[in-house]
Amino acid sequence: MVETISGSDAVLKVLEQWGVKNIYGLPGGSFDSTMNAIHNQKKQINYVQVRHEEAGAIAAAATAKLTGKVGVCFGSAGPGAVHLLNGLYDAKSDGVPVVALVAQVPTGSMNMDFFQAMDEEPIFDDVAVWNRTAMTADALPRMTDEAIRQAYMKHGVAVLTIPKDLGWAQINDTYQPNVKSHQTPVYPSPRPEDVEEAVKLIKEAKSPMIYFGIGAKDAADELKEASEKFKMPLVSSFLAKGILPDDYPAYLGSTGRVAPKPGSEAGFSTDLILWVGNNVPFSIFLFNKHAKVIQIDIQSEKLGERRHNDVSMLADSKVALDAILEAGETRQPSAFYQACLANKENWNSWLDSFKDSDQMPVRPEPIFDVLNRTASNKAVFAVDVGNVDINFDRLINMHDDQKWATSGIYATMGFALPASIAAKLEYPDRDVYSLSGDGGFAMLMEEVMTQVKYGLHIVNIIFTNETLGFIEAEQTDDTHQPLSGVDLPDTNWAEVTKGMGAVSYTVHTKEDMQKALKDAENTDKPVVIDVKLTHEMPLTTQHMFLDTSWQDKDKVAEYVKKYQAQDLKPLSYFLKEAENHQLQTN
């Protein structure tokens, strides 16, 4: 005799068979049938009660970013559904698989102006790769299976709307999901003629470089080998930080507004870019317009999207790089290559000069120095957006099996706290840190209560400078307007979060930070560290004035004084040195 199961229990059972560990959301009356299923299957799937549905969606997105596996969240009909959208747009923008279960009023009350009823499908049309409402209870397990498959296949958000009564209805417990049929796609190898042309361009180039993104996440060894064989410095997108260790000599860091100086400068002096698995929108502004481009990507629509390509390779990054390595000839170091490495050494020395600064309020370098020394080789960082991204990108030295996540293309404030919850639940034995500015922290600070509720030992660090710093810099440097709407009230975050149940500290100095992190090791509770940070902005690499050979000397002097950049040299300085050295040795 066939056993029966409720429609919502069937949904949860499919999720469990796909390996889903955690589901994030906040109950509402319209979701009662699925909450009952969550209770029934609490030993199979862990339910995390967030304080806001947006946080649940962000946690689901962070799950996918950190693990590569589908994240799952839910919202009740009406307001709960709408609250999901911000986190779902983050998943869409960064191309990660998320399934959102959305409640709907009972079918008999749909389209009748009922309490909290709304036509939900249209609001998810733009954010979702798959967006369906169940019409029968029997369809629910199959639709759940399809939602997961679509999220994986299309690297995005799948939305399944469940009317309340269908979740209660009994159906035959016979459905078998297609988990075993799920396979990682096999991508084509590059065409031989493209490899031949790429090798030719690399051989002819005077100042070639590699620009890679998260599409190269499985090709770290090949990136290093290509850099070493062809003497090409490496620059990444911000989101690709961590694919290579930050101390790898030829890795110059990322490029763009948040980037360190060496990566930002290299792109304007290159004549050839080996562009690997990268589709950053700002890329069109970051490189010499006359440089030739060899682009590798697994999605044909991304080839040439950001600028004209000379060679386009529809292929996996590992396979394409291997083909180029096998066919290409070893190059001697160019002046450009040597200059880029010297430029990185100069930059790192300049950053190091501030590690023990006693400037008050405290600079970021001493704080991040302590964090680098404290974080384990398996640390996970959940990073908010704004100036905290700049300081994280430049000052955290990623290495070994460390992981991190942020809101990349969508860049939503408030990302760090929910993401840290996902990180700790997915990696309970790792040390987890959330890093936020005071603006981002205030967005979803209530999620400290979620950390407390579940006893999650997460170290939350707030960089308080009483301003929306990234926006302040844009208003000052980009649009040259009076500061408008960026000021934030000074808040005692330690006292606020202590009232939520966290162990909290206020930090004014490097020594305070050392003590706070050491004390944090002696508690199992969430920890909040409020760092009272300097109001000075990070050195801008977007509006840089360091080169008196072509820039106004007064502007250079003003820039150097403002950022204490007396020991920084422009890339042109190291290019001239390298060229002179090559002339002497030849």
Side-chain angles (χ1 to χ4, degrees):
M1 200 172 167
V2 177
E3 293 187 5
T4 61
I5 191 173
S6 77
S8 286
D9 273 296
V11 169
L12 268 289
K13 191 174 178 180
V14 171
L15 293 177
E16 186 270 329
Q17 288 173 297
W18 273 94
V20 173
K21 296 179 181 177
N22 302 295
I23 182 169
Y24 300 88
L26 195 65
S30 55
F31 204 67
D32 281 348
S33 51
T34 307
M35 289 308 303
N36 189 69
I38 287 173
H39 173 78
N40 291 342
Q41 299 187 48
K42 59 187 175 184
K43 292 183 179 179
Q44 284 75 42
I45 293 185
N46 180 47
Y47 163 56
V48 185
Q49 181 204 63
V50 292
R51 309 311 325 137
H52 194 292
E53 291 90 350
E54 176 184 353
I58 289 174
T63 297
K65 292 177 184 184
L66 290 167
T67 69
K69 298 178 181 178
V70 66
V72 181
C73 58
F74 68 81
S76 57
V82 174
H83 282 169
L84 291 172
L85 281 169
N86 208 44
L88 298 184
Y89 268 102
D90 173 66
K92 172 189 176 177
S93 297
D94 285 349
V96 294
V98 165
V99 168
L101 304 179
V102 176
Q104 181 57 283
V105 300
T107 53
S109 300
M110 290 172 62
N111 306 314
M112 301 286 289
D113 294 328
F114 195 66
F115 176 70
Q116 290 189 326
M118 59 184 291
D119 188 3
E120 290 171 337
E121 271 195 34
I123 71 170
F124 293 105
D125 274 344
D126 181 62
V127 77
V129 298
W130 186 90
N131 179 24
R132 300 288 188 272
T133 299
M135 304 305 292
T136 66
D138 286 314
L140 280 170
R142 182 177 296 278
M143 292 180 76
T144 306
D145 193 32
E146 185 64 18
I148 297 170
R149 288 157 59 89
Q150 291 288 331
Y152 274 126
M153 181 179 71
K154 297 178 181 175
H155 307 283
V157 175
V159 177
L160 172 58
T161 300
I162 306 173
K164 182 178 178 178
D165 57 322
L166 300 187
W168 285 118
Q170 293 292 305
I171 63 174
N172 290 336
D173 185 15
T174 56
Y175 186 74
Q176 292 297 319
N178 289 290
V179 179
K180 292 182 179 179
S181 300
H182 181 66
Q183 297 182 27
T184 302
V186 177
Y187 299 104
S189 298
R191 298 181 303 182
E193 59 267 34
D194 292 334
V195 175
E196 182 180 352
E197 182 62 19
V199 166
K200 176 175 176 288
L201 291 178
I202 292 171
K203 182 178 181 179
E204 294 173 349
K206 293 182 179 179
S207 51
M209 64 174 284
I210 298 171
Y211 178 48
F212 66 94
I214 54 176
K217 64 181 182 297
D218 297 321
D221 291 341
E222 290 77 12
L223 289 171
K224 289 180 183 178
E225 192 175 346
S227 172
E228 292 164 9
K229 182 169 185 174
F230 303 128
K231 301 302 182 291
M232 302 167 78
L234 296 136
V235 174
S236 75
S237 67
F238 175 40
L239 294 183
K241 178 183 172 70
I243 291 177
L244 298 179
D246 280 310
D247 62 1
Y248 185 69
Y251 174 51
L252 308 182
S254 70
T255 183
R257 191 179 186 93
V258 304
K261 173 179 170 288
S264 298
E265 287 181 298
F268 295 103
S269 296
T270 186
D271 64 354
L272 174 69
I273 308 164
L274 180 54
W275 191 303
V276 188
N278 199 336
N279 195 43
V280 175
F282 295 111
S283 297
I284 55 176
F285 307 115
L286 302 176
F287 299 97
N288 173 11
K289 293 181 180 179
H290 303 292
K292 294 183 177 180
V293 176
I294 303 162
Q295 187 180 1
I296 301 167
D297 209 289
I298 59 171
Q299 294 179 273
S300 60
E301 67 270 22
K302 291 181 180 177
L303 294 171
E305 181 179 4
R306 301 304 175 191
R307 59 179 290 161
H308 170 75
N309 287 341
D310 296 271
V311 178
S312 295
M313 291 188 179
L314 183 65
D316 174 72
S317 57
K318 284 177 69 74
V319 175
L321 288 171
D322 274 336
I324 293 171
L325 282 162
E326 185 176 347
E329 298 176 9
T330 300
R331 287 173 51 105
Q332 293 301 309
S334 64
F336 172 73
Y337 177 78
Q338 293 172 324
C340 284
L341 270 60
N343 194 25
K344 178 179 178 177
E345 290 179 3
N346 174 242
W347 170 256
N348 285 342
S349 296
W350 180 74
L351 291 178
D352 287 347
S353 71
F354 297 107
K355 282 183 177 180
D356 294 314
S357 169
D358 57 4
Q359 179 179 320
M360 296 291 289
V362 67
R363 291 179 62 100
E365 292 90 351
I367 302 302
F368 277 88
D369 183 45
V370 177
L371 189 52
N372 276 322
R373 294 173 187 273
T374 304
S376 77
N377 293 343
K378 290 183 173 292
V380 186
F381 302 97
V383 187
D384 222 291
V385 299
N387 278 358
V388 67
D389 277 339
I390 298 177
N391 290 324
F392 176 82
D393 192 21
R394 299 176 184 182
L395 300 174
I396 280 289
N397 297 317
M398 294 288 290
H399 58 86
D400 294 290
D401 194 27
Q402 291 181 336
K403 294 178 178 290
W404 76 285
T406 192
S407 180
I409 302 300
Y410 193 58
T412 182
M413 293 172 66
F415 178 88
L417 260 68
S420 70
I421 293 168
K424 192 64 179 178
L425 290 171
E426 293 293 333
Y427 303 104
D429 297 326
R430 295 190 182 216
D431 48 327
V432 174
Y433 304 85
S434 81
L435 309 180
S436 308
D438 42 347
F441 184 79
M443 280 276 188
L444 288 171
M445 60 169 291
E446 68 273 10
E447 298 308 323
V448 171
M449 289 189 283
T450 305
Q451 296 179 4
V452 171
K453 177 181 174 71
Y454 295 104
L456 302 177
H457 179 57
I458 296 167
V459 177
N460 304 280
I461 303 173
I462 312 162
F463 296 93
T464 299
N465 63 354
E466 301 172 40
T467 183
L468 299 174
F470 202 86
I471 308 305
E472 176 181 327
E474 286 182 332
Q475 292 183 0
T476 301
D477 298 333
D478 295 358
T479 52
H480 308 289
Q481 67 187 76
L483 293 182
S484 178
V486 297
D487 57 307
L488 298 173
D490 184 20
T491 303
N492 190 335
W493 294 116
E495 284 298 311
V496 172
T497 54
K498 183 179 178 181
M500 295 179 178
V503 177
S504 303
Y505 304 89
T506 301
V507 163
H508 295 281
T509 66
K510 184 174 185 177
E511 291 72 25
D512 289 346
M513 187 66 176
Q514 289 170 329
K515 185 177 186 306
L517 284 179
K518 187 169 182 60
D519 288 351
E521 296 173 358
N522 299 319
T523 181
D524 293 330
K525 294 181 178 181
V527 173
V528 174
I529 300 174
D530 182 8
V531 178
K532 300 304 185 182
L533 195 71
T534 178
H535 186 82
E536 294 178 4
M537 293 294 109
L539 177 143
T540 174
T541 55
Q542 188 173 12
H543 305 282
M544 194 156 47
F545 293 91
L546 283 174
D547 197 339
T548 55
S549 68
W550 64 277
Q551 291 179 314
D552 182 271
K553 292 182 179 180
D554 290 338
K555 287 188 176 181
V556 171
E558 179 185 356
Y559 182 92
V560 167
K561 181 180 179 182
K562 178 178 181 179
Y563 296 110
Q564 302 177 48
Q566 290 82 1
D567 294 331
L568 281 181
K569 301 284 192 297
L571 177 60
S572 62
Y573 170 87
F574 299 107
L575 278 169
K576 189 175 294 184
E577 275 199 338
E579 289 166 354
N580 289 337
H581 178 73
Q582 287 192 350
L583 285 173
Q584 292 170 8
T585 55
N586 291 337

